[in-house]
Amino acid sequence: MCATPVRDFWTWSLDRYAGERVATTLIDLQDRFSLNVNLVLWCCWCAEGYEPVPDAAMVKAHEAVSTWSSAVTGPLRGARRFLKTSQAAAAAPEASLLRIEIKRLELDSEKIEQILLTSIAENDLTASPGADETSRRKRAGDNLRSYAKLAGADGRDGFSDMKLDAAAAVIFAAPLQNTSVDAARDVAPAAPLQGDD
């Protein structure tokens, strides 16, 4: 429908993810409620430049990321985590180099997820830049609730809308650094968007 009315999603995400408590908040949503970190960030990013995400676009985003993550990002993450804890990997010095390479590939896979999500925003959402803080927070909350319901998180033990509102507050509290694309590439491997080190 329109070109992206806000800064690029990848750079925005790196800046936000580096904020205090953002990583732990997102990983908690991922591990406890099976919410995809990139989709949580996308829900908030969209709130800065688009009207609330319609149900059809949310379904499209969820399906695109779920498919990509289960086929590519998830297996890479599993391999990286295995190499981190495996006794066999500890015995082979080359395993640590392999783990570093897998971590880089995992990050590249996450970036492709974000490209898929950006394309959905550009093609399926209605631009509405310049929203004030209150409007952005409301849009983010609406987007996150829609996603959580679609993902089945709202039926899990310990889940509440307050967790989503708190996550949005933590994400929006993180300062934007105007990270350049080159600087983002240098910073990114030390701060993967999903998973642990």
Side-chain angles (χ1 to χ4, degrees):
M1 284 189 182
C2 65
T4 305
V6 292
R7 9 180 2 211
D8 79 273
F9 182 31
W10 181 250
T11 303
W12 182 95
S13 294
L14 291 173
D15 282 351
R16 296 294 187 178
Y17 196 86
E20 186 177 341
R21 297 186 8 237
V22 174
T24 56
T25 298
L26 291 170
I27 299 304
D28 182 61
L29 292 176
Q30 174 184 271
D31 292 347
R32 292 183 62 202
F33 307 113
S34 297
L35 294 175
N36 179 284
V37 168
N38 275 329
L39 263 171
V40 171
L41 288 167
W42 184 73
C43 287
C44 294
W45 175 76
C46 286
E48 291 197 355
Y50 297 97
E51 293 296 322
V53 178
D55 291 342
M58 189 64 75
V59 167
K60 189 174 181 180
H62 182 257
E63 288 175 353
V65 167
S66 294
T67 299
W68 182 263
S69 186
S70 66
V72 182
T73 310
L76 288 168
R77 181 175 300 116
R80 178 181 51 79
R81 286 179 174 174
F82 172 79
L83 289 170
K84 183 177 181 180
T85 61
S86 166
Q87 294 289 0
E94 293 81 2
S96 65
L97 296 175
L98 178 60
R99 185 174 167 276
I100 291 167
E101 182 63 16
I102 291 171
K103 185 176 179 180
R104 187 191 63 73
L105 292 170
E106 181 185 358
L107 187 66
D108 288 345
S109 179
E110 300 243 9
K111 189 169 186 177
I112 292 169
E113 277 184 19
Q114 289 205 352
I115 291 167
L116 296 170
L117 290 168
T118 299
S119 177
I120 292 168
E122 290 173 347
N123 293 310
D124 297 312
L125 304 184
T126 302
S128 182
D132 61 28
E133 181 72 18
T134 302
S135 297
R136 285 194 305 270
R137 293 275 175 104
K138 178 172 180 351
R139 287 181 194 172
D142 291 345
N143 292 343
L144 288 167
R145 279 182 269 292
S146 174
Y147 169 50
K149 183 176 181 177
L150 180 64
D154 60 345
R156 294 180 183 257
D157 286 341
F159 179 84
S160 71
D161 284 351
M162 290 184 346
K163 290 204 178 290
L164 298 176
D165 293 335
V170 167
I171 290 166
F172 283 120
L176 293 174
Q177 304 295 324
N178 287 325
T179 306
S180 71
V181 174
D182 291 334
R185 190 72 171 129
D186 293 340
V187 169
L193 293 178
Q194 284 183 261
D196 53 16
D197 183 31

